[in-house]
Amino acid sequence: MSDFHYSVDADGVATITWDIENRSMNVLSMEGLAELDAHIDTALGDDAVKGVIVTSGKPDFAGGMDLNVIARMKEMAGDQPEKGLFDGIMSMHATLRKIERAGMDPKKLKGGKPIVAALPGTALGIGLEIPLACHRIIAADNPKAKIGLPEIMVGIFPGAGGTTRLARKLGAMAAAPFLLEGKLSEPKKAKGVGIIDEVVPGDDLLARAKEWVLNATDADLVKPWDAKGYKMPGGAPYHPAGFMTFVGASAMINGKTQGVYPAAKALLSAVYEGALVPFDTALKVEARWFTHVLMNPSSSAMIRSLFINKEALEKGANRPQVEDEKVAKLGVLGAGMMGAGIAYVAANAGIEVVLIDAQQEAAEKGKAHAEGILDKGMKRGKVSEAKKAEVLGRITPTTDYSALEGCDLVVEAVFEDPKIKAEVTAKAEAVLPEDAIFATNTSTLPISDLARASKRPEQFIGIHFFSPVDKMLLVEIIRGQQTGDRAVAKALDFVRQIRKTPIVVNDARFFYANRCIIPYINEGMRLVREGVAPALVENAAKLMGMPLGPLQLVDETSLDLGAKIAKATRAAMGDAYPDGDVDEVVFWMVEQDRLGRKAGAGFYEYDAKGKRTGLWSGLAEKFPQAEVQPDLITVQHRLMFVQALEAVRALEQGVLTDIREGDVGAILGWGFAPWSGGPFSWLDMLGAGFAVEVCDRLEADHGPRFQAPQMLRGMAEGAGSFYETSRGRAA
């Protein structure tokens, strides 16, 4: 079974077609790289071959590197993983450099064979690095195609020459959005910035590629950086303009990453140092920095959580073994922001949707929410008029529950009130087919309690979306005490259809995500009550890689919602309720009408457009700042451990059953320090022994919420880790 297929036509043009069997998208493996290398050797060694087209047998060119390869490189190198990685990366450079030089005389730069990349669709990561080594890149005019180097998003950077080639092709400044931010472009825009050379109609792609090969001259084959007198666009680091570019880029990286993402700094180092030396040396510099990043535990954890584990969950790693349960017709009860968002993502994925609300006007408003999202997409050139009409045509807004007839899944998204939820459950089940699955979208209410209103509790499940639905990738599926496997499979298949990432958890108050994020928010408010400067609280969180400080996060979610959750939790827990100190802050803020961003006043001040203008100085009047402030590390430990320990308790209590879901869910659900790979990866990175030491110290100083769970303490005593346990090995 081959990944690459080789053929030569009557005109002497060889075609290397990338087409991996039984995969929808090409990804590069080490075996595939060896095949490509051998085919290039064959073409260059055959006098009858005039040139080469590298293309794909699939609608897209390639989705990148199989990142499992990195783990294999390390394993194969035994006690020298750095050497194994470096040698493996240099073998990629050797193949791509062979394509680039194409048999030409190294001194005269003549006699090479033209090699063109013909891209029918998406080309990402190594799927763009290979074309960048070719002499010309021609792409099909496919607006759905994505061209780019997104490696930075999973904690690495383009390490097969993409960093060096793109920086030298475009200049450091122009290449920065594509390298440092992982920006993706459709083909015409990619041509506009100079990443690719031509865009042609899809039907003409191979013909145009062949035409170029047969007419290419020696000069067409010489890359700018191989030509005499090459100067880097925008200036090299020692040029005044180039110097300022790198100063600005360094400031931008530190501003965006707060110094906790090693890949971004390493990438900039590779570009900077590579620009000071000849091209082949620059490739070695890139390989060394890439190896450095791959050996960093942060990058390993990010790759594991954001690529390997995320992909496994999206493919149904924990799906019950039942038949296909894709959704054909969806009912959504409640057309507020959440229900409207669910209706949009489902319709956008091709599912027929019935959107029900108590008032027709409200139902229509829910559909209008979808129209607003599509209009924004049209302004950005992402959505056509026909696509908009098609999506909106799938949404039927109504007050009539009989419209639910034929729905195989219903998602209820009404107010967080058990009585209202029970009423709509009964109304819906009265007209739904016997085999329909009923899902409730709730963030706090136990599913098993809500299922009492259902005639078929085994077909009742929780599906917790995060707001805004169209942007948030995570969906939390909650299995109630009586929920059956078929309901779980239905929910997972639905989440896959709408192209989001699912985690499956067992029923408990707050489930998984909220039980971890609420303590983070609460700890921030506790610190303020204790007299810690709000700026220290917020910046301590951001310096740990949290996207939002706890005070900003509670402003975004609203303080009156926090007050409602606090009252409901206190009623449910009674004397065991642990957050009385926090309530003092929350209820006082609500009394001051400082409800958060939506009210234009919260822990932060806001201007007329809703933009934050700074922390509210009035906090100090109620909660005076202490003369002696705690050190940064202590504040960070409090904010991070309060989340991570709750994640461990969720695993210990069986709410979580798979640490992969715990790590992926934490990053996608509430932004837990993505550089860490998630709370379980972070604790493994710290080491259980050290983590328990910190817990014991925090518990002594601040109370039982920092008590180390027995699972963590057991690992400390046995020198184990989460990813070495039976659960971890399954990951």
Side-chain angles (χ1 to χ4, degrees):
M1 188 169 67
S2 299
D3 290 357
F4 289 87
H5 309 278
Y6 183 85
S7 63
V8 182
D9 68 12
D11 295 312
V13 176
T15 299
I16 299 173
T17 305
W18 196 353
D19 195 357
I20 301 177
E21 192 175 337
N22 298 323
R23 293 198 68 154
S24 59
M25 180 75 79
N26 292 321
V27 293
L28 189 67
S29 63
M30 293 310 292
E31 293 79 10
L33 180 69
E35 283 182 32
L36 176 62
D37 188 81
H39 290 323
I40 293 295
D41 281 342
T42 299
L44 296 181
D46 186 347
D47 291 340
V49 171
K50 298 174 183 176
V52 181
I53 299 169
V54 181
T55 190
S56 169
K58 301 184 187 297
D60 294 307
F61 184 67
M65 170 69 74
D66 180 353
L67 292 183
N68 291 290
V69 166
I70 292 169
R72 284 176 53 202
M73 284 182 188
K74 285 184 179 180
E75 289 167 8
M76 290 169 65
D79 58 358
Q80 290 185 298
E82 299 96 333
K83 186 177 187 304
L85 287 169
F86 182 77
D87 289 347
I89 294 158
M90 287 306 296
S91 71
M92 291 186 216
H93 283 313
T95 296
L96 269 61
R97 193 63 169 139
K98 184 186 294 183
I99 291 171
E100 197 162 51
R101 299 309 289 260
M104 67 180 69
D105 183 297
K107 291 185 178 179
K108 296 180 181 179
L109 300 180
K110 292 183 179 181
K113 295 184 179 183
I115 302 178
V116 58
L119 313 180
T122 290
L124 301 175
I126 192 72
L128 180 57
E129 289 180 291
I130 292 171
L132 284 170
C134 296
H135 306 120
R136 195 164 186 82
I137 305 173
I138 303 173
D141 186 4
N142 179 354
K144 293 183 179 180
K146 301 294 182 187
I147 309 293
L149 299 165
E151 286 89 336
I152 201 76
M153 307 304 288
V154 291
I156 55 176
F157 68 87
T163 294
T164 300
R165 286 187 175 89
L166 199 66
R168 292 196 176 214
K169 187 172 186 176
L170 304 184
M173 177 75 79
F178 304 97
L179 294 173
L180 291 170
E181 298 173 21
K183 181 180 178 181
L184 307 181
S185 298
E186 54 91 14
K188 285 185 177 177
K189 289 185 178 177
K191 178 182 182 296
V193 296
I195 296 177
I196 62 178
D197 303 302
E198 285 185 59
V199 177
V200 300
D203 292 342
D204 299 338
L205 179 64
L206 293 181
R208 171 59 191 140
K210 179 176 179 178
E211 179 187 10
W212 185 85
V213 163
L214 294 174
N215 291 281
T217 65
D218 282 334
D220 292 327
L221 276 55
V222 180
K223 292 295 182 74
W225 42 87
D226 283 328
K228 188 175 180 180
Y230 165 77
K231 292 183 179 180
M232 193 168 185
Y238 45 78
H239 184 278
F243 173 77
M244 292 309 298
T245 294
F246 282 95
V247 169
S250 181
M252 182 190 79
I253 284 176
N254 282 297
K256 287 193 172 186
T257 70
Q258 304 295 327
V260 295
Y261 292 88
K265 186 175 179 181
L267 184 154
L268 186 60
S269 297
V271 174
Y272 179 88
E273 294 170 17
L276 301 174
V277 295
F279 184 79
D280 287 300
T281 306
L283 291 179
K284 287 184 181 179
V285 169
E286 181 187 296
R288 288 186 184 281
W289 276 112
F290 193 53
T291 300
H292 174 78
V293 165
L294 292 175
M295 290 302 298
N296 188 302
S298 168
S299 294
S300 297
M302 284 185 76
I303 290 169
R304 181 175 61 203
S305 292
L306 293 175
F307 178 79
I308 296 171
N309 291 349
K310 178 175 176 286
E311 187 178 75
L313 296 176
E314 288 169 348
K315 288 182 176 179
N318 293 326
R319 184 185 185 279
Q321 296 299 307
V322 301
E323 292 183 9
D324 180 79
E325 286 288 344
K326 284 181 183 174
V327 177
K329 183 178 179 182
L330 175 73
V332 179
L333 309 183
M337 286 297 290
M338 190 62 74
I342 296 167
Y344 163 72
V345 296
N348 196 50
I351 300 170
E352 182 184 349
V353 180
V354 175
L355 181 59
I356 292 183
D357 206 281
Q359 303 294 326
Q360 184 65 30
E361 183 181 356
E364 296 286 354
K365 187 177 178 181
K367 182 173 180 176
H369 174 75
E371 186 172 11
I373 296 172
L374 291 163
D375 285 341
K376 288 178 183 176
M378 288 179 68
K379 287 180 181 178
R380 295 194 303 268
K382 305 289 186 182
V383 177
S384 66
E385 189 71 51
K387 173 70 172 177
K388 173 185 170 182
E390 182 184 324
V391 173
L392 292 177
R394 296 192 187 108
I395 302 174
T396 303
T398 183
T399 60
D400 186 2
Y401 275 75
S402 67
L404 295 174
E405 188 176 346
C407 287
D408 48 319
L409 175 68
V410 165
V411 178
E412 166 268 299
V414 300
F415 296 114
E416 292 281 276
D417 183 324
K419 290 182 180 178
I420 297 175
K421 287 182 179 288
E423 288 173 10
V424 300
T425 301
K427 283 184 181 180
E429 287 190 344
V431 296
L432 284 171
E434 285 288 319
D435 60 350
I437 301 300
F438 191 98
T440 178
N441 176 73
T442 176
S443 57
T444 59
L445 301 174
I447 302 304
S448 302
D449 292 349
L450 296 176
R452 292 183 186 133
S454 174
K455 294 184 293 185
R456 299 180 284 270
E458 74 283 357
Q459 292 167 219
F460 192 100
I461 194 167
I463 300 183
H464 174 209
F465 287 86
F466 293 77
S467 185
V469 177
D470 60 299
K471 293 180 180 177
M472 296 296 284
L473 293 175
L474 185 72
V475 177
E476 193 173 23
I477 295 168
I478 306 100
R479 183 194 280 266
Q481 291 174 4
Q482 298 183 62
T483 302
D485 282 353
R486 192 177 143 260
V488 175
K490 188 80 170 182
L492 283 167
D493 289 353
F494 172 55
V495 173
R496 184 187 301 181
Q497 280 178 269
I498 60 175
R499 295 182 286 276
K500 293 189 182 293
T501 304
I503 62 171
V504 180
V505 302
N506 287 318
D507 196 17
R509 182 167 288 275
F510 300 128
F511 318 128
Y512 172 61
N514 280 336
R515 77 177 283 169
C516 297
I517 194 61
I518 289 172
Y520 170 64
I521 290 172
N522 287 351
E523 199 64 28
M525 290 190 283
R526 270 197 177 89
L527 286 159
V528 169
R529 184 183 177 279
E530 292 170 15
V532 178
L536 174 55
V537 174
E538 296 291 87
N539 287 320
K542 290 177 182 176
L543 287 168
M544 282 300 291
M546 294 297 293
L548 302 180
L551 305 181
Q552 184 184 344
L553 183 56
V554 76
D555 264 13
E556 297 291 338
T557 56
S558 82
L559 279 111
D560 54 334
L561 175 61
K564 288 177 185 176
I565 292 173
K567 288 175 182 175
T569 308
R570 178 181 283 177
M573 297 184 69
D575 293 340
Y577 181 69
D579 295 322
D581 290 347
V582 177
D583 289 353
E584 183 183 346
V585 181
V586 174
F587 295 145
W588 180 76
M589 290 289 284
V590 172
E591 287 170 9
Q592 307 304 307
D593 289 327
R594 300 196 70 87
L595 307 181
R597 179 191 283 275
K598 70 178 184 181
F603 286 103
Y604 283 84
E605 301 275 21
Y606 297 87
D607 63 19
K609 295 182 179 179
K611 183 180 180 182
R612 292 189 317 281
T613 58
L615 284 155
W616 179 43
S617 59
L619 270 175
E621 296 176 17
K622 178 70 175 177
F623 307 107
Q625 293 181 22
E627 288 187 17
V628 178
Q629 293 286 307
D631 63 86
L632 175 66
I633 299 298
T634 297
V635 177
Q636 289 179 323
H637 278 167
R638 286 180 63 175
L639 293 172
M640 293 292 282
F641 271 94
V642 79
Q643 302 174 71
L645 295 180
E646 200 58 46
V648 177
R649 292 182 193 111
L651 181 66
E652 205 170 47
Q653 295 164 12
V655 175
L656 269 180
T657 60
D658 188 329
I659 57 173
R660 293 177 297 181
E661 293 179 311
D663 275 347
V664 173
I667 294 173
L668 300 185
W670 73 90
F672 183 94
W675 64 268
S676 72
F680 296 102
S681 293
W682 182 65
L683 289 169
D684 278 356
M685 216 179 285
L686 292 179
F690 176 73
V692 168
E693 285 179 22
V694 175
C695 288
D696 290 345
R697 189 162 60 247
L698 291 174
E699 183 186 6
D701 292 342
H702 303 289
R705 65 187 179 280
F706 291 107
Q707 184 178 42
Q710 189 54 47
M711 180 180 281
L712 183 62
R713 197 172 289 280
M715 287 178 186
E717 292 168 357
S721 69
F722 288 100
Y723 276 91
E724 288 174 354
T725 64
S726 57
R727 288 186 180 91
R729 281 195 295 272

